[in-house]
Amino acid sequence: MDRLTQVEGRAYPFGMKNVDTDIVIPAHWLKTISRTGLGQGAFEVLRKEPGNVFDDPQYAGAPILIAGDNFGCGSSREHAAWAIADLGIKVVIAPSFSDIFSGNAFKNGILTVVLPQDAIDRLMQVAQGIDGHPDDIHIDLEQQTVTTRFQDRFTFEIDAFRKHCLLGGLDEIGLTLGDADGIGVYEARVAQERPWVVPAVA
């Protein structure tokens, strides 16, 4: 998992409330177990509509998504997080998230930022372009801030463990490998104290 410290760039001014995981990635995309290529199916139904924000060239490759309340509700499919990540989105900002989606996003290196609706409204304005052109948004995970060039500054809360993992680029495997020395000491002790539980080497 890549480290996530700061993210800056355009943001999709999405804003829709109660977006469930079927909207994020329709069920017919769930036949794969690969994390790559799902970006093509991300928000597929919405992208069939002319002028949708996800196919607007102004936001091509945007690393940030601004959404409405209860983002990621519905089924627990991890493919939703995979699809968002494959689309290039590293941060989703919303007033609230489904707990399951938030957990899946974290495990896939996506930062979910919870901000009040008035902050979301302001960031939507910035993303759409106050002066007619979309403006960048800056997220600093270390400082736990979301800022703009217009002197907007919003702070957000995040679980300390999740922050540690995202800053360090640590998934479950990375966390386990961080304890490799201790695991090795334990295994050596077990081999001495209870050799009958150690598999025989062929």
Side-chain angles (χ1 to χ4, degrees), residues 26-195:
H28 66 87
W29 285 88
L30 307 188
K31 298 172 184 176
T32 179
I33 58 172
S34 172
R35 301 184 186 201
T36 59
L38 288 176
Q40 299 173 50
F43 304 101
E44 182 180 66
V45 174
L46 299 179
R47 290 166 82 174
K48 290 178 181 178
E49 300 175 6
N52 73 85
V53 70
F54 296 104
D55 291 324
D56 187 331
Q58 293 186 103
Y59 301 104
I64 304 163
L65 173 68
I66 304 172
D69 259 328
N70 198 28
F71 185 84
C73 56
S75 68
S76 60
R77 63 189 70 166
E78 192 172 7
H79 293 68
W82 294 354
I84 285 175
D86 197 56
L87 197 60
I89 294 169
K90 300 179 184 301
V91 181
V92 182
I93 306 173
S96 65
F97 294 90
S98 154
D99 287 342
I100 293 175
F101 173 80
S102 183
N104 285 337
F106 157 64
K107 290 178 181 179
N108 287 278
I110 301 168
L111 173 63
T112 53
V113 173
V114 174
L115 290 177
Q117 188 61 53
D118 59 345
I120 297 295
D121 293 342
R122 173 58 179 173
L123 292 174
M124 286 283 289
Q125 289 179 338
V126 172
Q128 290 166 339
I130 292 174
D131 55 3
H133 301 283
D135 272 288
D136 289 355
I137 291 171
H138 182 87
I139 294 99
D140 187 321
L141 177 55
E142 182 66 48
Q143 299 299 318
Q144 298 177 209
T145 58
V146 179
T147 56
T148 75
R149 72 179 178 93
F150 301 103
Q151 307 305 311
D152 300 297
R153 181 184 176 86
F154 307 108
T155 60
F156 61 90
E157 298 297 320
I158 183 172
D159 174 79
F161 174 73
R162 289 188 175 187
K163 180 177 180 179
H164 167 74
C165 291
L166 290 170
L167 287 172
L170 300 171
D171 56 14
E172 288 94 338
I173 294 173
L175 286 167
T176 302
L177 291 176
D179 290 327
D181 290 343
I183 293 170
V185 169
Y186 171 80
E187 293 291 343
R189 189 176 75 246
V190 168
Q192 274 200 331
E193 296 175 353
R194 293 176 286 169

